[in-house]
Amino acid sequence: MERKNAWSKYAKDASQVMAFAEGYKRFLSDCKTERECVDFFIAKAKDAGYVSLDEIIAKGGKLKAGDRIYQSNKGKSFALFNIGKAPLEEGINILGAHIDSPRLDIKQNPVYEDTDQALLDTHYYGGVKKYQWVTIPLALHGVVAKKDGTVLKINIGEDETDPVFCISDLLIHLSSDQLEKKGAKVVEGEDLNVLCGNMPVFDKDNEKEKEAVKTNVLRLIKDKYDFDEEDFLSAEIEVVPAGEARDLGFDRSMILGYGHDDRVCAYPSFMALLETTEVLNKTACALLVDKEEIGSVGASGMQSLFYENVVAELIELQGEYSEIKRRRTMTNSSVLSSDVSAAFDPNYSNVFEKNNSAYMGRGLVFNKYTGARGKSGSNDASAEYMAKIRKIMDDANVCFQTAELGKVDAGGGGTIAYILGNYNMEVIDAGVAVLSMHAPCEIISKVDLYEALLGYKAFIKNA
Ligand code: MN
Ligand code: MN
């Protein structure tokens, strides 16, 4: 069973595919953290007429078909609803994806000086090949929460007038021992120290100071960004690759950028709701969560009660809340748990099984199961649900393919699918194929992004 190349659909005119990719590239370049994604979603949703759930509750409002509602969870995860004609108990069609990406987090006590270099200590977040994070331009994104309650937004290294940051690597001339090491040990976690200064303070009082370079850096931080060393204790600053997402290839068919996993699914999920202006029969939801890369844990991860609580509020607004209504709403829901799929890589073909791999350019990918070592940790979608999904996609002329994550026993991975499956929802993993997943720069095909948008729209309308 060969699946066709999705570009063939656009042989005469690919302008819609290219135009949608432009919006996505802007999003990818501007939103490199979960918080930046949520800020973007709130602004866009408000522009499109969505109202915050908190506002409706405060006003004692009621829910009716056609209402468009959003809710942010601590600025790190986000839910968007298009309220349908049917009661919520008939279930919600959910597009789930995550908005956190692998990166390096600045530690709580990060700044130190060594041999006239000022450095920032980091702890990596998610699965990274540590050797990929050295010798590339890095930016700092995040927040500093001060004791007086103010929260400063930090974004340094993206404007062309900004400085960038970098982690050094050992020169090849002295690397004979390093190059004998296993890949996981070539660069180790505690060596991911971000270089951030080399100039000591110049005034007389401090000339003999032990850590004059660190002192200078802290002074500059205070002057320019208005926070003290102690404020790092209550900061969340993420070190991410600096720079914009770019078109890739002579044909501009692909995008090279940081954080496709999983913004390449989150963005079309969000846009599918935004661009669906008709009142659907069932309520549709885009659920965009944090912390997937470290196990979906914590208040902003998929395992949090956030979603369930929002559903309870919606039921209350629609009539009268009861536990059985909430349970029915959950169990009758259908989900596309969207996360990136490993694209077949001809450079590393030995870890893939050709007949069951995802290919760049062949459309939206469905993974009946993911997992590792005999499907362990997987949400194995039912055959009946898979049949329903096939029909929805075929009827809407969406190019799709099915895949596993690599060859049996080559490795594996998980998604948020099983967590929603625990509510007895119908769930299948879906998403876009990515090359170099979890690298500082990942690669996707524009046509796969567009087929995802079409597939998501067809799903919320027909599931
Ligand atoms: Mn992912
Ligand atoms: Mn991932």
Side-chain angles (χ1 to χ4, degrees), residues 100-139:
D100 59 320
S101 296
R103 61 183 190 246
L104 313 177
D105 285 342
I106 298 287
K107 286 189 185 181
Q108 301 315 110
N109 181 16
V111 195
Y112 68 99
E113 177 172 339
D114 193 339
T115 59
D116 299 340
Q117 292 182 21
L119 296 135
L120 297 169
D121 229 321
T122 68
H123 194 142
Y124 66 96
Y125 172 98
V128 298
K129 288 180 166 180
K130 297 173 196 92
Y131 63 79
Q132 292 177 331
W133 289 76
V134 296
T135 72
I136 57 171
L138 298 168

Side-chain angles (χ1 to χ4, degrees), residues 162-461:
D162 280 352
V164 293
F165 304 88
C166 194
I167 299 168
S168 64
D169 192 11
L170 187 58
L171 63 166
I172 181 71
H173 314 69
L174 299 178
S175 290
S176 53
D177 281 352
Q178 187 196 34
L179 292 176
E180 293 304 317
K181 290 182 184 174
K182 283 188 176 170
K185 298 268 179 190
V186 167
V187 172
E188 299 203 47
E190 280 298 351
D191 299 332
L192 294 171
N193 302 316
V194 178
L195 185 57
C196 68
N198 181 227
M199 190 193 289
V201 280
F202 287 122
D203 53 291
K204 277 244 153 36
D205 298 346
N206 288 287
E207 249 166 32
K208 285 179 202 121
E209 200 169 312
K210 261 208 326 255
E211 298 185 316
V213 176
K214 174 182 165 177
T215 304
N216 195 35
V217 161
L218 290 172
R219 273 196 190 182
L220 290 167
I221 289 174
K222 179 70 183 169
D223 286 351
K224 191 143 187 13
Y225 306 105
D226 191 32
F227 69 94
D228 300 307
E229 185 175 17
E230 288 253 320
D231 293 322
F232 277 108
L233 293 175
S234 48
E236 288 175 359
I237 301 176
E238 306 180 10
V239 183
V240 295
E244 307 240 308
R246 306 281 297 268
D247 283 347
L248 176 66
F250 290 115
D251 55 10
R252 296 179 173 267
S253 60
M254 297 165 282
I255 299 171
L256 177 73
Y258 165 70
H260 285 309
D261 179 5
D262 184 32
R263 294 174 192 132
V264 75
C265 297
Y267 182 78
S269 296
F270 175 78
M271 293 305 285
L273 261 78
L274 222 66
E275 291 181 1
T276 300
T277 47
E278 66 186 284
V279 180
L280 301 171
N281 185 39
K282 276 192 190 174
T283 295
C285 170
L287 182 55
L288 308 162
V289 294
D290 181 28
K291 296 287 182 279
E292 192 278 340
E293 296 294 358
I294 59 166
S296 298
V297 290
S300 54
M302 190 61 244
Q303 296 192 48
S304 145
L305 289 179
F306 165 67
Y307 179 71
E308 208 180 328
N309 291 347
V310 169
V311 167
E313 296 285 3
L314 294 178
I315 293 169
E316 174 72 10
L317 290 175
Q318 199 173 57
E320 197 174 313
Y321 173 80
S322 76
E323 188 189 342
I324 192 67
K325 281 189 194 167
R326 188 192 81 229
R327 285 174 184 262
R328 284 177 186 152
T329 303
M330 298 302 262
T331 204
N332 289 330
S333 290
S334 301
V335 188
L336 290 188
S337 165
S338 285
D339 206 342
V340 292
S341 222
F344 184 86
D345 188 337
N347 290 332
Y348 300 96
S349 59
N350 63 320
V351 295
F352 295 93
E353 187 262 291
K354 279 202 159 170
N355 293 333
N356 291 283
S357 286
Y359 293 86
M360 267 213 306
R362 294 192 193 169
L364 182 56
V365 184
F366 289 97
N367 304 99
K368 186 175 180 299
Y369 46 86
T370 57
R373 301 171 307 281
K375 300 188 179 181
S376 180
S378 159
N379 162 73
D380 202 343
S382 75
E384 292 86 346
Y385 187 50
M386 183 69 216
K388 183 177 174 180
I389 296 292
R390 275 174 61 202
K391 179 165 166 38
I392 292 171
M393 295 302 138
D394 282 340
D395 289 353
N397 190 28
V398 175
C399 277
F400 74 92
Q401 50 184 329
T402 59
E404 298 193 10
L405 180 53
K407 219 154 86 165
V408 174
D409 286 342
T415 66
I416 63 168
Y418 75 96
I419 304 162
L420 292 160
N422 289 343
Y423 288 105
N424 201 26
M425 297 179 189
E426 291 280 18
V427 188
I428 187 164
D429 279 296
V432 171
V434 171
L435 273 182
S436 317
M437 194 190 294
H438 283 207
C441 268
E442 303 173 313
I443 297 164
I444 61 110
S445 170
K446 291 178 180 177
V447 79
D448 295 335
L449 169 70
Y450 195 69
E451 293 305 293
L453 174 73
L454 299 183
Y456 296 162
K457 283 183 176 174
F459 174 83
I460 55 171
K461 204 169 163 181

